Amino acid sequence: MRLTRRGLGGLGVAALAPSAVLAQAGVVRSLPMPCLSQQGDILGLVLEGRGAPAGRVVTFGQVFAQGDLPRGAGLAARLADGKAVPLQADVKVRHVDGSARFALLALAAPALAAGEQAGVVLHRGPAVAAAPFAPDLSRRSAILHLADQRLDLMAGLRQALREPAALWQAGPLAVQARIMQPMLVGRVTSLRVVADLTLTADGAIAIDLWLRNDGAMRPGGGALAYTARLLLEGREALVAELARHHHYTGWGRLLRSGPTPAFVRPDATYLAEAGATPRYDLSTGVEARLLESMGQRAREAAWASALGPRFVTQQMGRTGGRADIGPMTMPQAAWLQTGDPRAAAFAIGQAEAAGSIPWHFWDTEAGRWMDTRRWPELWTDGRGGAAPGGLAQPIAQDTGWSLASSHQPDLATLPWLLTGRRAFLDEVQAQACWCVLGQWPRARGTAGQPGLAEGVNVVRDNQVRGAAWSLRQLDNAAWASPEAEPNADWLREVAAANWGWIRQQLPRWTRAQGEAQGWIPGEYGSPGLLPPWQQDYFAAIAAAAARRGNADAQAVLDWMTNFLAGRFLMGPQGFPPHDGAAYLLAMQADADARNPLRSWRQIGAATRAASLSNGNGWSKTEGDYAQLALQSLAAVIDASGSGAARAAYDWLSQAGAPFTGVADYRRDPLLNIVPRGRPRVPNDMPRCR
């Protein structure tokens, strides 16, 4: 099925043409970040008040570019007037040079009225050793009632405080610990409670409470029913009745005592420079109507239900352009491009909804997500057969979800990086492990056999888009997981092995592809045809890995550039540039996949003969193929500075292709990605404040 305009019906704007949206609503742009004016300044943030008093601690995640916060350096914060703001940093992930890559921050915010904003600059400072504050827990309580059982979460925190090495955060502003407890409900053995408890120096408690029915490969696993009730400081904070909690799924909510802390607006430009995100265009803005729709949907009753999908497409195999598929999701892209709290809440809510997807397989004995170290033969698909080739309890058919690696969204990586909620790291890792275990074992290879990626290959015999999204998940999990995480080493090894394997294939693919070399072979379903937009998916993921320092991914991207750019530049060689954004290209003269056409002229002629050519126009369907090409070319330019990619980008951006106008990106910001220094709209807004 051809890609169509992304289905935004769930957000209430599908029926409106871009001009109609513009007429009815304004445009929301990202706020300028605080100016960096002193030596040692790293980045700026904007706090938006929720009416809390001075000293209310806000906790969040922050990515750092390599070298910005060296090992041994301290991190401090100040307001625009120079006043210091108390700050605590717990570094969780480091770059290869030892500098901080990702940290959990706790900041004692100034008093801010609802909607009032204050700029904060993070800067290097002397490292100050500060002992964790010692909370008085004698009168604090957090009790979970689950079915007929009672779990004292505060007792678990008291125990964790006796073991400082087990604390996830530890400093003068915040301490956090994880309480994980298996629960036997009736005869079902697969449920566990996972609670991340944070106490802050202002006296508040935050509990990120998750009920995960994900224990795998053990007797007694399966679906269950229960009532859950949380009493926080003696008051009912949560109650939920679940008639059926499916196996391999989970749900959770973040619950707090005390005033709501300030909202943190991130610096999207800095995140792109640090390699955390694509380089989104902050000049265009996003339609206010889209953000209003997100806010409205998040207030609907269905949004609050446990295990609800929250507008994530449950039938993942559904083809066509979707708001949840890309380098990240559309709500996440809107969050970055505007900093708007409504987009943030929607994206965070969908990260919580990721728990309801049945791709969570917890290895109770190993204390980690299942991977090929203990389960080399496992295929989580229902066709895997009896354990250990398949799951001991197969995924139920009535979960409401249908899984497909070729159409999987990344719901949790950005929320993990911006909020620091450990539950979202769980989601990132669980999905990455499924990307391997959900792959057909014959395609992923046999563990222990010679060759790179044997047993964990997610590219060979896969659709190119399935390979792209699986590599996206593996790369993100490997890049964003703390070293101490039990799955971290495996994730890094698997991601590296796959990129190494792809690089090994380049000489063979080059010999086969001739002058049009640069496209990744893969399964599509139509022999002899190649969808160039799937190459754009793959290139975007290769560029993301290359920008993070992956030399193998950089080599793959450099090789792909000949095809990615050439399809728009080879008119003199007989390939119409409009066909660079076609739905399909004819790449073979016969049914033998080993004999692809080797010249641009041959491919152009075969595409015309098959009635697939755009000619001198564009696809008659509402495809976003030109958008996909522009974002991949922009990513190539950022990663390598390719002159050919620049020339192709310049031609395509001025060619009048469908859905490449400013109004289109404002209405649907998912692919609003540009090269460094190339905004679509000249912007007279100050770059900093």
Side-chain angles (χ1 to χ4, degrees):
M1 180 181 291
R2 296 188 175 219
L3 287 175
T4 58
R5 291 297 298 153
R6 268 174 291 284
L8 305 180
L11 299 181
V13 297
L16 293 174
S19 59
V21 177
L22 280 169
Q24 295 181 27
V27 174
V28 177
R29 292 186 174 88
S30 176
L31 296 174
M33 292 293 114
C35 296
L36 307 183
S37 58
Q38 299 180 22
Q39 185 175 1
D41 287 354
I42 300 175
L43 73 138
L45 303 167
V46 174
L47 299 179
E48 185 170 304
R50 303 287 180 82
R56 179 68 170 102
V57 175
V58 55
T59 60
F60 57 100
Q62 180 60 54
V63 170
F64 293 94
Q66 185 169 330
D68 276 358
L69 188 60
R71 187 186 295 273
L75 185 68
R78 69 171 187 275
L79 298 174
D81 61 6
K83 182 180 179 181
V85 181
L87 179 73
Q88 171 186 325
D90 293 84
V91 176
K92 309 307 293 186
V93 187
R94 293 190 179 275
H95 291 286
V96 293
D97 65 352
S99 63
R101 174 183 295 168
F102 174 75
L104 300 178
L105 303 185
L107 183 146
L112 295 170
E116 183 182 1
Q117 295 164 353
V120 174
V121 173
L122 302 184
H123 60 92
R124 290 185 295 275
V128 178
F133 80 95
D136 180 4
L137 302 182
S138 60
R139 298 184 179 180
R140 314 305 296 267
S141 66
I143 306 296
L144 175 66
H145 295 273
L146 180 64
D148 58 353
Q149 301 175 66
R150 179 182 184 275
L151 182 60
D152 186 345
L153 299 176
M154 204 59 67
L157 180 60
R158 293 187 186 96
Q159 178 61 35
L161 290 173
R162 300 188 189 103
E163 305 172 10
L167 294 176
W168 187 247
Q169 281 181 285
L173 295 180
V175 292
Q176 183 184 145
R178 167 163 284 190
I179 290 88
M180 187 164 63
Q181 179 66 45
M183 306 293 288
L184 179 64
V185 178
R187 296 183 178 181
V188 177
T189 63
S190 47
L191 183 69
R192 61 193 176 109
V193 172
V194 183
D196 296 311
L197 275 72
T198 305
L199 272 73
T200 49
D202 56 12
I205 300 175
I207 302 178
D208 204 353
L209 176 65
W210 284 72
L211 300 178
R212 295 192 176 275
N213 187 22
D214 54 17
M217 308 302 274
R218 303 180 68 200
L224 70 162
Y226 57 81
T227 298
R229 183 168 177 254
L230 177 69
L231 299 179
L232 181 58
E233 308 287 39
R235 298 182 178 180
E236 187 176 87
L238 174 72
V239 62
E241 295 184 11
L242 275 76
R244 187 170 179 83
H245 184 166
H246 286 285
H247 203 183
Y248 311 122
T249 68
W251 67 280
R253 299 291 185 267
L254 177 61
L255 308 158
R256 293 189 178 98
S257 68
T260 303
F263 173 72
V264 180
R265 290 178 177 258
D267 185 340
T269 299
Y270 183 85
L271 291 172
E273 292 292 345
T277 68
R279 189 178 303 281
Y280 283 104
D281 187 353
L282 304 186
S283 73
T284 58
V286 172
E287 290 296 338
R289 175 68 177 272
L290 180 60
L291 300 171
E292 291 164 4
S293 295
M294 291 184 196
Q296 291 168 2
R297 294 295 181 262
R299 292 191 295 271
E300 293 177 359
W303 186 268
S305 63
L307 297 172
R310 292 180 169 176
F311 300 99
V312 179
T313 302
Q314 290 184 273
Q315 301 304 307
M316 288 188 187
R318 197 193 82 193
T319 54
R322 301 209 315 248
D324 57 352
I325 294 182
M328 54 182 54
T329 69
M330 186 270 283
Q332 293 169 8
W335 182 5
L336 287 172
Q337 290 170 64
T338 65
D340 193 275
R342 293 165 294 185
F346 200 92
I348 290 168
Q350 289 194 324
E352 291 180 341
S356 66
I357 303 174
W359 56 28
H360 303 77
F361 309 103
W362 183 254
D363 188 334
T364 302
E365 285 72 21
R368 65 187 184 221
W369 301 107
M370 294 178 68
D371 60 40
T372 58
R373 286 175 291 184
R374 273 174 41 87
W375 308 97
E377 302 174 7
L378 178 63
W379 187 20
T380 58
D381 188 278
R383 293 166 290 180
L391 292 166
Q393 298 91 17
I395 300 171
Q397 298 297 308
D398 61 347
T399 64
W401 293 90
S402 176
L403 308 184
S405 66
S406 57
H407 295 79
Q408 58 175 309
D410 183 358
L411 300 170
T413 298
L414 186 72
W416 155 240
L417 294 176
L418 295 188
T419 70
R421 287 176 60 179
R422 193 174 179 181
F424 294 158
L425 175 62
D426 294 336
E427 293 302 319
V428 172
Q429 293 179 345
Q431 183 178 352
C433 292
W434 169 79
C435 285
V436 177
L437 297 178
Q439 180 75 3
W440 186 31
R442 187 177 297 179
R444 76 179 191 235
T446 303
Q449 293 297 310
L452 281 171
E454 284 303 314
V456 294
N457 196 312
V458 300
V459 180
R460 181 173 49 210
D461 297 331
N462 199 352
Q463 291 188 37
V464 172
R465 57 187 168 188
W469 303 147
S470 293
L471 284 170
R472 177 196 63 196
Q473 297 310 128
L474 287 165
D475 282 342
N476 284 341
W479 191 78
S481 290
E483 290 184 7
E485 286 291 296
N487 289 103
D489 288 345
W490 180 84
L491 290 165
R492 294 187 178 100
E493 291 168 3
V494 171
N498 273 277
W499 285 113
W501 181 86
I502 301 168
R503 187 175 186 178
Q504 280 188 342
Q505 311 313 305
L506 299 186
R508 178 169 62 89
W509 292 345
T510 299
R511 290 191 297 271
Q513 296 174 14
E515 72 170 1
Q517 64 185 270
W519 48 275
I520 304 292
E523 297 297 318
Y524 182 65
S526 300
L529 302 181
L530 178 134
W533 42 273
Q534 290 197 25
Q535 303 296 316
D536 292 316
Y537 287 158
F538 198 97
I541 303 312
R547 291 171 58 225
R548 292 170 175 174
N550 187 318
D552 289 334
Q554 184 70 64
V556 172
L557 187 68
D558 291 344
W559 177 79
M560 293 185 72
T561 301
N562 180 72
F563 176 82
L564 297 169
R567 57 187 165 151
F568 298 110
L569 303 176
M570 292 296 116
Q573 283 69 41
F575 184 85
H578 287 74
D579 284 351
Y583 175 63
L584 290 171
L585 299 177
M587 303 298 289
Q588 293 173 209
D590 55 41
D592 191 345
R594 296 171 297 179
N595 298 315
L597 299 174
R598 294 170 51 81
S599 76
W600 289 107
R601 189 173 302 278
Q602 290 174 324
I603 296 170
T607 299
R608 288 191 297 273
S611 300
L612 297 171
S613 175
N614 287 338
N616 293 321
W618 303 101
S619 171
K620 293 182 175 61
T621 65
E622 292 189 344
D624 54 0
Y625 316 121
Q627 272 196 2
L628 287 163
L630 282 171
Q631 64 88 30
S632 72
L633 290 168
V636 170
I637 294 166
D638 249 17
S640 67
S642 164
R646 288 183 186 278
Y649 182 90
D650 289 344
W651 181 85
L652 184 56
S653 62
Q654 299 170 25
F659 307 112
T660 60
V662 170
D664 299 302
Y665 287 109
R666 285 173 171 165
R667 178 177 180 270
D668 180 1
L670 176 61
L671 299 175
N672 190 18
I673 296 167
V674 293
R676 182 187 289 107
R678 294 287 304 273
R680 291 189 169 89
V681 178
N683 200 333
D684 58 2
M685 291 179 63
R687 298 183 63 182
C688 66
R689 63 175 183 175

